Amino acid sequence: MKFINRKKLIPVLVTFLLLGIILSQIRIEDLITTIKNINKIYLILGFFLYILSYVFRGLRFHILLDKKISFPDLFHIVCVHNMVNSILPARSGELSYIYILKKCHDKSTGEGVATLMVARVLDFITISLLFFVSSLFVRDLPEMFSSVIWLVALFTVLLAIFLVILLYAGEIFLRFANTIFVTLKLDNNFLVNVFLKKAKEIVSSFKNIKDNGRMMELCIISFIIWLTLYFLNYTLIKSLDINIGFFEVLLASTFVVFMSVLPIQGLGGFGTYEVGWAIGFIGIGLTKELAINSGIVIHIIGIVYYVLLGLYGYQYLCKK
Protein backbone atom coordinates (compact mmCIF):
# COMPACT_ATOMS: atom_id res chain seq x y z
CA MET A 1 0.00 0.00 0.00
CA LYS A 2 2.86 2.38 0.86
CA PHE A 3 4.43 1.64 -2.54
CA ILE A 4 1.17 2.51 -4.32
CA ASN A 5 0.88 5.75 -2.35
CA ARG A 6 4.43 6.68 -3.28
CA LYS A 7 3.71 6.02 -6.94
CA LYS A 8 0.71 8.38 -6.73
CA LEU A 9 2.82 10.96 -4.91
CA ILE A 10 5.55 11.12 -7.57
CA PRO A 11 3.47 12.99 -10.22
CA VAL A 12 2.33 15.49 -7.56
CA LEU A 13 5.92 16.15 -6.50
CA VAL A 14 6.96 16.49 -10.15
CA THR A 15 4.13 19.03 -10.64
CA PHE A 16 5.38 21.30 -7.83
CA LEU A 17 9.02 20.88 -8.86
CA LEU A 18 8.42 21.78 -12.52
CA LEU A 19 6.06 24.63 -11.62
CA GLY A 20 8.66 26.03 -9.23
CA ILE A 21 11.32 25.95 -11.95
CA ILE A 22 8.97 27.47 -14.54
CA LEU A 23 7.74 30.30 -12.28
CA SER A 24 11.29 31.15 -11.25
CA GLN A 25 12.05 32.02 -14.89
CA ILE A 26 9.41 34.78 -15.23
CA ARG A 27 8.04 37.83 -13.45
CA ILE A 28 4.51 37.45 -12.06
CA GLU A 29 3.77 41.05 -13.11
CA ASP A 30 4.42 40.13 -16.76
CA LEU A 31 2.13 37.10 -16.44
CA ILE A 32 -0.70 39.26 -15.03
CA THR A 33 -0.20 41.79 -17.85
CA THR A 34 -0.42 38.99 -20.42
CA ILE A 35 -3.71 37.79 -18.92
CA LYS A 36 -5.16 41.32 -18.88
CA ASN A 37 -4.31 41.88 -22.56
CA ILE A 38 -6.09 38.75 -23.89
CA ASN A 39 -8.30 39.47 -26.90
CA LYS A 40 -11.77 38.34 -25.78
CA ILE A 41 -13.01 37.71 -29.35
CA TYR A 42 -10.30 35.09 -29.93
CA LEU A 43 -11.12 33.62 -26.52
CA ILE A 44 -14.75 33.04 -27.53
CA LEU A 45 -13.72 31.67 -30.93
CA GLY A 46 -11.33 29.31 -29.15
CA PHE A 47 -14.15 27.98 -26.96
CA PHE A 48 -16.26 27.17 -30.04
CA LEU A 49 -13.28 25.35 -31.60
CA TYR A 50 -12.86 23.40 -28.37
CA ILE A 51 -16.54 22.39 -28.41
CA LEU A 52 -16.16 21.38 -32.07
CA SER A 53 -13.28 19.04 -31.19
CA TYR A 54 -15.55 17.38 -28.59
CA VAL A 55 -18.31 17.00 -31.19
CA PHE A 56 -15.98 15.04 -33.46
CA ARG A 57 -14.56 13.00 -30.56
CA GLY A 58 -18.11 12.03 -29.61
CA LEU A 59 -18.84 11.16 -33.24
CA ARG A 60 -15.73 8.96 -33.39
CA PHE A 61 -16.77 6.99 -30.31
CA HIS A 62 -20.30 6.78 -31.74
CA ILE A 63 -18.85 5.00 -34.80
CA LEU A 64 -16.39 2.88 -32.78
CA LEU A 65 -19.29 1.59 -30.66
CA ASP A 66 -21.27 0.64 -33.78
CA LYS A 67 -23.71 3.52 -33.16
CA LYS A 68 -25.26 1.55 -30.28
CA ILE A 69 -24.98 4.57 -27.99
CA SER A 70 -26.51 7.87 -29.08
CA PHE A 71 -24.26 10.68 -30.21
CA PRO A 72 -25.58 13.15 -27.55
CA ASP A 73 -24.76 10.64 -24.78
CA LEU A 74 -21.24 10.14 -26.12
CA PHE A 75 -20.66 13.88 -26.49
CA HIS A 76 -21.43 14.34 -22.79
CA ILE A 77 -19.30 11.31 -21.85
CA VAL A 78 -16.41 12.92 -23.75
CA CYS A 79 -16.98 16.15 -21.78
CA VAL A 80 -16.66 14.35 -18.44
CA HIS A 81 -13.91 11.96 -19.56
CA ASN A 82 -11.67 14.73 -20.89
CA MET A 83 -12.07 16.82 -17.72
CA VAL A 84 -11.26 13.89 -15.41
CA ASN A 85 -8.39 12.73 -17.63
CA SER A 86 -6.90 16.23 -17.75
CA ILE A 87 -7.12 16.75 -13.98
CA LEU A 88 -5.94 13.39 -12.60
CA PRO A 89 -2.19 12.65 -12.63
CA ALA A 90 -0.47 10.24 -15.03
CA ARG A 91 -3.55 10.20 -17.30
CA SER A 92 -5.27 7.83 -14.87
CA GLY A 93 -8.51 9.58 -15.80
CA GLU A 94 -8.66 7.50 -19.00
CA LEU A 95 -10.45 4.91 -16.86
CA SER A 96 -13.41 7.30 -16.47
CA TYR A 97 -14.50 6.60 -20.07
CA ILE A 98 -14.56 2.85 -19.40
CA TYR A 99 -16.36 3.34 -16.06
CA ILE A 100 -19.07 5.63 -17.50
CA LEU A 101 -19.72 3.29 -20.45
CA LYS A 102 -20.14 0.37 -18.05
CA LYS A 103 -22.26 2.24 -15.50
CA CYS A 104 -24.55 4.18 -17.85
CA HIS A 105 -24.72 1.90 -20.90
CA ASP A 106 -23.80 -1.56 -19.59
CA LYS A 107 -20.83 -1.88 -21.94
CA SER A 108 -18.14 -4.40 -20.99
CA THR A 109 -14.72 -3.28 -19.77
CA GLY A 110 -13.16 -4.99 -22.78
CA GLU A 111 -15.29 -2.98 -25.22
CA GLY A 112 -14.46 0.24 -23.41
CA VAL A 113 -10.72 -0.50 -23.40
CA ALA A 114 -10.72 -1.58 -27.05
CA THR A 115 -12.53 1.50 -28.39
CA LEU A 116 -10.41 3.84 -26.27
CA MET A 117 -7.24 2.12 -27.44
CA VAL A 118 -8.23 2.41 -31.10
CA ALA A 119 -9.02 6.10 -30.61
CA ARG A 120 -5.59 6.68 -29.05
CA VAL A 121 -3.83 4.79 -31.85
CA LEU A 122 -5.63 6.90 -34.47
CA ASP A 123 -4.70 10.01 -32.46
CA PHE A 124 -1.03 9.08 -32.45
CA ILE A 125 -0.94 8.30 -36.18
CA THR A 126 -2.63 11.64 -36.91
CA ILE A 127 -0.36 13.66 -34.60
CA SER A 128 2.74 11.98 -36.06
CA LEU A 129 1.78 12.78 -39.64
CA LEU A 130 0.79 16.39 -38.84
CA PHE A 131 4.03 16.88 -36.88
CA PHE A 132 6.06 15.52 -39.79
CA VAL A 133 4.25 17.75 -42.32
CA SER A 134 4.74 20.83 -40.14
CA SER A 135 8.47 20.08 -39.85
CA LEU A 136 8.68 20.34 -43.67
CA PHE A 137 7.06 23.79 -43.72
CA VAL A 138 8.86 25.47 -40.80
CA ARG A 139 12.10 27.17 -41.75
CA ASP A 140 15.00 28.98 -40.04
CA LEU A 141 15.03 26.91 -36.87
CA PRO A 142 18.14 26.88 -34.65
CA GLU A 143 20.48 24.11 -35.80
CA MET A 144 20.33 22.11 -32.57
CA PHE A 145 16.52 22.32 -32.34
CA SER A 146 16.21 21.44 -36.01
CA SER A 147 18.21 18.24 -35.40
CA VAL A 148 15.97 17.35 -32.45
CA ILE A 149 12.87 18.01 -34.58
CA TRP A 150 14.01 15.63 -37.28
CA LEU A 151 14.89 12.90 -34.76
CA VAL A 152 11.48 13.24 -33.10
CA ALA A 153 9.72 13.36 -36.48
CA LEU A 154 11.57 10.25 -37.65
CA PHE A 155 10.73 8.35 -34.46
CA THR A 156 7.04 9.30 -34.55
CA VAL A 157 6.71 8.44 -38.25
CA LEU A 158 8.35 5.03 -37.70
CA LEU A 159 6.00 4.37 -34.80
CA ALA A 160 3.04 5.52 -36.90
CA ILE A 161 4.12 3.14 -39.70
CA PHE A 162 4.27 0.31 -37.15
CA LEU A 163 0.72 1.14 -36.03
CA VAL A 164 -0.48 1.26 -39.65
CA ILE A 165 1.05 -2.20 -40.18
CA LEU A 166 -0.92 -3.39 -37.14
CA LEU A 167 -3.95 -1.81 -38.74
CA TYR A 168 -3.74 -3.52 -42.13
CA ALA A 169 -1.60 -6.61 -41.51
CA GLY A 170 -2.01 -7.11 -37.78
CA GLU A 171 -2.62 -10.86 -37.75
CA ILE A 172 0.44 -11.51 -39.96
CA PHE A 173 2.55 -9.27 -37.71
CA LEU A 174 1.35 -11.05 -34.57
CA ARG A 175 2.22 -14.47 -35.99
CA PHE A 176 5.65 -13.20 -37.03
CA ALA A 177 6.29 -11.55 -33.64
CA ASN A 178 5.18 -14.66 -31.75
CA THR A 179 7.53 -16.84 -33.83
CA ILE A 180 10.44 -14.48 -33.08
CA PHE A 181 9.73 -14.46 -29.34
CA VAL A 182 9.43 -18.27 -29.22
CA THR A 183 12.71 -18.64 -31.16
CA LEU A 184 14.45 -16.29 -28.71
CA LYS A 185 12.77 -18.14 -25.80
CA LEU A 186 11.10 -14.93 -24.64
CA ASP A 187 7.54 -16.20 -24.95
CA ASN A 188 7.23 -16.54 -21.14
CA ASN A 189 8.60 -13.07 -20.45
CA PHE A 190 6.09 -10.83 -18.61
CA LEU A 191 6.71 -7.72 -20.74
CA VAL A 192 6.55 -9.72 -23.96
CA ASN A 193 3.22 -11.22 -22.91
CA VAL A 194 1.83 -7.77 -22.03
CA PHE A 195 2.99 -6.45 -25.41
CA LEU A 196 1.39 -9.36 -27.29
CA LYS A 197 -1.86 -9.06 -25.30
CA LYS A 198 -2.20 -5.32 -26.06
CA ALA A 199 -1.25 -5.86 -29.71
CA LYS A 200 -3.93 -8.57 -30.03
CA GLU A 201 -6.56 -6.24 -28.55
CA ILE A 202 -5.64 -3.49 -31.02
CA VAL A 203 -5.59 -5.88 -33.98
CA SER A 204 -8.96 -7.35 -32.97
CA SER A 205 -10.51 -3.89 -32.67
CA PHE A 206 -9.04 -2.78 -35.99
CA LYS A 207 -10.34 -5.93 -37.69
CA ASN A 208 -13.84 -5.18 -36.46
CA ILE A 209 -13.61 -1.61 -37.81
CA LYS A 210 -12.25 -2.74 -41.17
CA ASP A 211 -14.96 -5.37 -41.49
CA ASN A 212 -17.53 -2.61 -41.01
CA GLY A 213 -15.82 -0.48 -43.68
CA ARG A 214 -15.43 2.53 -41.38
CA MET A 215 -11.66 2.94 -41.18
CA MET A 216 -11.41 5.80 -43.69
CA GLU A 217 -14.27 7.60 -41.95
CA LEU A 218 -12.52 7.29 -38.58
CA CYS A 219 -9.18 8.47 -40.00
CA ILE A 220 -10.81 11.58 -41.49
CA ILE A 221 -12.58 12.34 -38.21
CA SER A 222 -9.29 11.94 -36.31
CA PHE A 223 -7.59 14.45 -38.63
CA ILE A 224 -10.47 16.90 -38.14
CA ILE A 225 -10.19 16.53 -34.34
CA TRP A 226 -6.50 17.38 -34.30
CA LEU A 227 -6.64 20.10 -36.92
CA THR A 228 -9.38 21.71 -34.81
CA LEU A 229 -7.23 21.48 -31.68
CA TYR A 230 -4.19 22.94 -33.46
CA PHE A 231 -6.34 25.78 -34.84
CA LEU A 232 -7.49 26.30 -31.26
CA ASN A 233 -3.86 26.74 -30.15
CA TYR A 234 -3.26 29.07 -33.11
CA THR A 235 -6.34 31.13 -32.16
CA LEU A 236 -5.24 31.39 -28.51
CA ILE A 237 -1.74 32.42 -29.58
CA LYS A 238 -3.38 35.16 -31.66
CA SER A 239 -5.40 36.22 -28.60
CA LEU A 240 -2.07 37.06 -26.92
CA ASP A 241 -0.99 39.12 -29.95
CA ILE A 242 1.86 36.73 -30.82
CA ASN A 243 2.37 36.67 -34.57
CA ILE A 244 3.64 33.27 -35.69
CA GLY A 245 2.38 30.97 -38.44
CA PHE A 246 0.01 28.03 -38.13
CA PHE A 247 2.66 25.39 -38.91
CA GLU A 248 4.98 26.89 -36.30
CA VAL A 249 2.20 26.62 -33.71
CA LEU A 250 1.45 23.04 -34.81
CA LEU A 251 5.11 22.04 -34.55
CA ALA A 252 5.73 23.71 -31.20
CA SER A 253 2.49 22.77 -29.43
CA THR A 254 2.92 19.09 -30.32
CA PHE A 255 5.63 18.96 -27.63
CA VAL A 256 2.83 19.48 -25.08
CA VAL A 257 1.12 16.35 -26.45
CA PHE A 258 4.37 14.39 -26.17
CA MET A 259 4.83 15.53 -22.55
CA SER A 260 1.22 14.62 -21.69
CA VAL A 261 1.75 10.92 -22.42
CA LEU A 262 4.59 10.64 -19.90
CA PRO A 263 3.64 8.88 -16.64
CA ILE A 264 5.01 11.85 -14.67
CA GLN A 265 2.12 14.15 -15.65
CA GLY A 266 0.90 15.82 -12.47
CA LEU A 267 -2.38 17.29 -11.27
CA GLY A 268 -4.10 19.22 -14.05
CA GLY A 269 -1.02 18.73 -16.22
CA PHE A 270 0.63 21.66 -14.43
CA GLY A 271 4.38 21.68 -14.90
CA THR A 272 4.59 19.14 -17.71
CA TYR A 273 2.29 21.25 -19.93
CA GLU A 274 4.34 24.40 -19.40
CA VAL A 275 7.65 22.59 -19.92
CA GLY A 276 6.43 21.01 -23.18
CA TRP A 277 5.08 24.36 -24.38
CA ALA A 278 8.30 26.20 -23.45
CA ILE A 279 10.50 23.64 -25.23
CA GLY A 280 8.46 23.87 -28.41
CA PHE A 281 8.01 27.65 -28.56
CA ILE A 282 11.52 28.60 -27.45
CA GLY A 283 12.69 26.17 -30.14
CA ILE A 284 10.83 28.08 -32.89
CA GLY A 285 12.19 31.43 -31.77
CA LEU A 286 10.05 32.90 -28.96
CA THR A 287 11.86 34.41 -25.98
CA LYS A 288 11.97 32.30 -22.83
CA GLU A 289 9.69 34.74 -20.94
CA LEU A 290 7.11 34.95 -23.75
CA ALA A 291 7.09 31.17 -24.27
CA ILE A 292 6.55 30.46 -20.56
CA ASN A 293 3.97 33.23 -20.06
CA SER A 294 1.94 32.15 -23.09
CA GLY A 295 2.12 28.50 -22.01
CA ILE A 296 0.78 29.25 -18.52
CA VAL A 297 -2.01 31.51 -19.82
CA ILE A 298 -3.15 29.12 -22.55
CA HIS A 299 -3.05 26.21 -20.10
CA ILE A 300 -5.32 28.14 -17.70
CA ILE A 301 -7.71 28.96 -20.58
CA GLY A 302 -7.79 25.28 -21.52
CA ILE A 303 -8.62 24.34 -17.92
CA VAL A 304 -11.54 26.80 -17.90
CA TYR A 305 -12.79 25.30 -21.18
CA TYR A 306 -12.68 21.65 -20.08
CA VAL A 307 -14.05 22.33 -16.59
CA LEU A 308 -17.06 24.20 -18.03
CA LEU A 309 -17.79 21.40 -20.50
CA GLY A 310 -17.02 18.71 -17.92
CA LEU A 311 -19.51 20.10 -15.39
CA TYR A 312 -22.10 20.48 -18.16
CA GLY A 313 -21.55 16.86 -19.21
CA TYR A 314 -21.72 15.66 -15.60
CA GLN A 315 -25.07 17.39 -15.06
CA TYR A 316 -26.45 15.76 -18.22
CA LEU A 317 -25.28 12.27 -17.17
CA CYS A 318 -26.72 12.72 -13.66
CA LYS A 319 -30.16 13.41 -15.15
CA LYS A 320 -30.05 10.25 -17.31
Side-chain angles (χ1 to χ4, degrees), residues 131-132 135-136 139 145-155:
F131 182 76
F132 179 74
S135 68
L136 299 176
R139 296 283 184 269
F145 189 69
S146 183
S147 301
V148 171
I149 289 292
W150 279 106
L151 281 174
V152 174
L154 179 62
F155 173 76

Side-chain angles (χ1 to χ4, degrees), residues 5-61:
N5 290 336
R6 284 175 187 169
K7 280 184 69 177
K8 290 180 178 178
L9 189 61
I10 289 172
V12 178
L13 293 175
V14 169
T15 294
F16 285 108
L17 176 63
L18 292 178
L19 267 182
I21 295 171
I22 286 290
L23 292 174
S24 70
Q25 303 299 308
I26 60 170
R27 296 195 316 156
I28 300 300
E29 297 85 355
D30 293 339
L31 180 61
I32 294 170
T33 301
T34 302
I35 294 172
K36 286 181 178 178
N37 292 334
I38 294 172
N39 187 314
K40 308 300 187 298
I41 300 298
Y42 283 115
L43 210 57
I44 295 167
L45 176 59
F47 188 55
F48 280 110
L49 285 170
Y50 199 70
I51 292 172
L52 187 62
S53 74
Y54 275 34
V55 168
F56 282 103
R57 285 179 178 182
L59 179 61
R60 185 170 63 178
F61 281 127

Side-chain angles (χ1 to χ4, degrees), residues 56 59-60 62-64 67 122 168 209 212-225:
F56 282 103
L59 179 61
R60 185 170 63 178
H62 182 56
I63 295 168
L64 283 170
K67 301 183 178 180
L122 291 172
Y168 287 100
I209 294 166
N212 292 332
R214 290 172 177 159
M215 184 53 68
M216 185 56 67
E217 188 179 1
L218 287 166
C219 288
I220 291 170
I221 290 171
S222 297
F223 268 92
I224 293 172
I225 290 169

